[in-house]
Amino acid sequence: MNILIENADSSEYLTSNSEWTKNAVDAKRFAGTGLAFAAAKKEAIGKFNIVGYIAETKQFVNMEHGRGKGASEVAA
């Protein structure tokens, strides 16, 4: 299972170069939910989900959710 960060508002996934993609296959993979959660908290996004992605069956499993820095907090 691949562990990914999903932008809850846009349903896009964080890539290795801090961009967003609709394609889960192109998303950055994390070794654990804790690492993904810590990384997501630092991103300039609002609500996020930590999801497990099973590539063989193209299924998603919601694991955690939270809020990132949000665009307004990053600008301040």
Side-chain angles (χ1 to χ4, degrees):
M1 181 181 316
N2 299 303
I3 298 172
L4 315 175
I5 297 172
E6 176 189 47
N7 182 321
D9 295 324
S10 67
S11 298
E12 294 179 312
Y13 307 96
L14 184 67
T15 65
S16 294
N17 57 354
S18 294
E19 294 183 1
W20 297 94
T21 180
K22 289 278 189 188
N23 189 349
V25 175
D26 297 330
K28 180 176 182 177
R29 293 167 187 87
F30 292 86
T33 57
L35 293 171
F37 192 86
K41 294 289 284 181
K42 296 176 186 174
E43 287 295 321
I45 58 174
K47 294 185 282 184
F48 65 81
N49 298 312
I50 305 303
V51 297
Y53 176 65
I54 305 166
E56 296 81 11
T57 59
K58 298 183 180 174
Q59 290 178 299
F60 292 92
V61 178
N62 277 331
M63 303 175 96
E64 287 276 350
H65 64 276
R67 293 191 67 80
K69 287 185 170 182
S72 61
E73 293 180 36
V74 172

